[in-house]
Amino acid sequence: MAERVAAAGRLNATQAWRAVADGVELRVKAQPRARRPGLQGLVDSADGPRLKLAVNEAPEDGRANRAICALLAGALHVPPSRIAVVQGAASREKTCHIAGDPAALLKTLENLA
């Protein structure tokens, strides 16, 4: 964990998240309209690993993005208002910002993956 924080915000080659000043940025791959919602583990993508998330909602009017934020909030034990999709709102590959203590969030993410 110390290496990731000391990396000055750069993504670790084997991880899908990074610490930032006010929380953590998490790279996710969304699977909307899934039969079984939940965390699906780490998957490779063209630009590095991402955490795969499956949600029941369709990708219309931001419903899937809200479902992703709610799913992450439950898994990370933070209020949904602390999570926002900051990049890729209309794409399956997104970047989410989770506001909070970076050290505590990184520890929780490591336990999830």
Side-chain angles (χ1 to χ4, degrees):
M1 180 169 60
E3 297 91 29
R4 209 170 302 128
V5 174
R10 283 201 256 159
L11 282 169
N12 188 329
T14 60
Q15 299 299 326
W17 50 81
R18 67 177 174 175
V20 292
D22 59 342
V24 172
E25 283 189 356
L26 174 64
R27 296 162 25 120
V28 301
K29 180 168 185 170
Q31 180 184 359
R33 292 185 179 152
R35 289 182 186 223
R36 292 184 212 156
L39 301 174
Q40 306 290 319
L42 291 173
V43 295
D44 286 329
S45 73
D47 60 345
R50 294 182 178 268
L51 182 64
K52 186 172 181 182
L53 304 172
V55 294
N56 289 336
E57 276 66 3
E60 299 167 352
D61 301 322
R63 291 188 334 209
N65 288 339
R66 287 190 296 273
I68 287 168
C69 292
L71 179 64
L72 284 173
L76 298 174
H77 311 293
V78 297
S81 61
R82 288 191 175 182
I83 302 175
V85 176
V86 294
Q87 186 177 18
S91 172
R92 287 182 183 248
E93 294 187 348
K94 306 173 184 300
T95 301
C96 296
H97 179 267
I98 303 138
D101 178 31
L105 290 170
L106 289 173
K107 185 176 181 181
T108 305
L109 283 168
E110 287 176 2
N111 291 335
L112 288 177

